[in-house]
Amino acid sequence: MLTLLLYVLIIGLVAAVLFLLASAVFGRSEELGPLPEGTTATVLPAEGITGADVRALRFQQVVRGYKASEVDWALAKLAARIDELQLALAEARAGDWVEPVTPDKK
């Protein structure tokens, strides 16, 4: 019985040493801290949203999919841009075309 207990203690000690060695070699899982509440890493330009901007969108993943507030925000921005484009198209078809001002992208 004492031999079995000694084996378990030795295995535990070896496991602890290997864990500490791996932690020292591979780091301590130092990751960036979470974003402050109410902020997001999801980015769209204020005006002049392009297809490339939409394709570059990335959302924070949570347990059951994507973070709903980020997806809702992106959809609202895209809906507003679509409304702007439809209004400009309707004005152009009516003959009241005014060139929209868009920021220069470099």
Side-chain angles (χ1 to χ4, degrees):
M1 186 68 161
L2 184 61
T3 306
L4 181 62
L5 181 62
L6 189 59
Y7 285 149
V8 170
L9 289 176
I10 290 174
I11 290 174
L13 182 65
V14 169
V17 169
L18 288 177
F19 174 76
L20 292 174
L21 180 65
S23 295
V25 171
F26 298 111
R28 291 178 232 135
S29 299
E30 291 144 354
E31 298 176 7
L32 294 176
L35 291 173
E37 191 67 33
T39 60
T40 179
T42 305
V43 179
L44 280 175
E47 293 180 9
I49 298 171
T50 66
D53 295 328
V54 175
R55 283 187 284 280
L57 274 177
R58 296 293 176 260
F59 299 106
Q60 180 181 354
Q61 290 190 337
V62 293
V63 176
R64 297 184 69 192
Y66 295 113
K67 193 170 184 179
S69 61
E70 291 182 1
V71 175
D72 292 343
W73 174 82
L75 290 175
K77 293 273 291 186
L78 293 173
R81 181 66 177 147
I82 289 170
D83 291 342
E84 289 174 20
L85 292 173
Q86 286 179 335
L87 179 62
L89 181 61
E91 290 173 353
R93 287 183 176 159
D96 299 333
W97 173 251
V98 177
E99 182 82 22
V101 178
T102 57
D104 294 332
K105 290 197 174 188
K106 294 180 182 181

